[in-house]
Amino acid sequence: MPSEGTALAALLAVMPPDDGADEQADWDAMRRAWGVGFPSDYVAFMATYGAGGIDDAFGVLTPEAATEPTYGQELGSMSGETAVMRQIWADEGGPGGINAGPEAVIAWGVSCGADILGWLTIDDDPDKWPVIVWERHGWPHWKVYDCGMAEFLRRLFAKGFDECPLSDASLWGEPSPHFLHWREEQRRLESGIDPYTGELDPYFGMEFD
């Protein structure tokens, strides 16, 4: 598994962080809430890119110092997607050959194909956690990849797996993925601009009966 610095540097070369922002996460609070530290590449990713979307096809979740989703945050949040991932594991079983239970997963991303991506926290060293994917439209649904999140994204863009690891192939082999921090995405939406194409929304500000 590449070092966290090498993995992030390789990702930066493919996906510039021009529209990123430091998420300024409280990692001590995160550790207290989740009972574990977090991978160095994710910490560095949050300081460089932050949370947000990639080409409107993938979302990197915001770090949260809470393990239970609050009302209205069941989906699209680290706590909410982790809860969903753990419930799926409890209902249908986890990946074959893994001697762990549902509490071993923490979600960090979602795809437009309704896949959930997380870490399999089966090592005391977070930098050794593999990426685990629950692929909604794949079979088997669970797949484990021996790499961190930054390396996973880089390999996704470079077609560096035997097959696309996600239900939707929008980013599979994408040579120039565009990351957009969630605050900038929100600002563009509120300005009547499509966040990813830059085109004006012809219906922005119009009221419909």
Side-chain angles (χ1 to χ4, degrees):
M1 187 179 293
S3 70
E4 64 276 5
T6 301
L8 187 68
L11 182 61
L12 286 166
V14 177
M15 185 173 70
D18 300 341
D19 287 319
D22 185 353
E23 207 63 45
Q24 299 183 349
D26 186 337
W27 296 109
D28 288 336
M30 289 279 291
R31 180 188 290 273
R32 289 193 298 270
W34 294 89
V36 293
F38 282 78
S40 299
D41 64 338
Y42 179 70
V43 173
F45 187 101
M46 284 298 132
T48 305
Y49 294 95
I54 303 173
D55 287 353
D56 204 22
F58 192 93
V60 179
L61 303 175
T62 306
E64 296 176 50
T67 59
E68 296 296 327
T70 57
Y71 180 75
Q73 293 294 321
E74 290 83 358
L75 298 176
S77 66
M78 176 175 276
S79 58
E81 298 295 345
T82 296
V84 172
M85 208 174 198
R86 290 176 176 179
Q87 189 60 55
I88 292 170
W89 186 312
D91 290 344
E92 65 179 43
I98 300 297
N99 185 23
E103 298 304 310
V105 293
I106 298 175
W108 61 263
V110 292
S111 80
C112 64
D115 308 317
I116 310 176
L117 296 86
W119 296 286
L120 190 56
T121 65
I122 54 176
D123 196 287
D124 291 338
D125 183 355
D127 287 335
K128 295 181 180 178
W129 291 349
V131 167
I132 184 168
V133 178
W134 183 76
E135 187 183 357
R136 177 177 289 274
H137 301 293
W139 187 259
H141 291 303
W142 293 105
K143 296 180 176 67
V144 179
Y145 299 91
D146 188 21
C147 61
M149 62 88 71
E151 175 65 6
F152 178 91
L153 291 173
R154 187 200 67 78
R155 290 172 65 180
L156 172 68
F157 304 145
K159 287 191 174 181
F161 299 106
D162 291 338
E163 59 183 16
C164 182
L166 304 179
S167 297
D168 180 87
S170 298
L171 296 175
W172 181 238
E174 172 55 58
S176 54
H178 178 211
F179 180 87
L180 186 63
H181 190 271
W182 66 270
R183 289 192 183 90
E184 176 61 16
E185 180 178 23
Q186 187 176 50
R187 186 193 69 78
R188 294 181 187 183
L189 284 170
E190 292 174 351
S191 298
I193 300 172
D194 184 291
Y196 291 92
T197 67
E199 297 177 356
L200 292 174
D201 180 356
Y203 302 106
F204 179 71
M206 296 178 63
E207 296 183 2
F208 298 92
D209 295 331

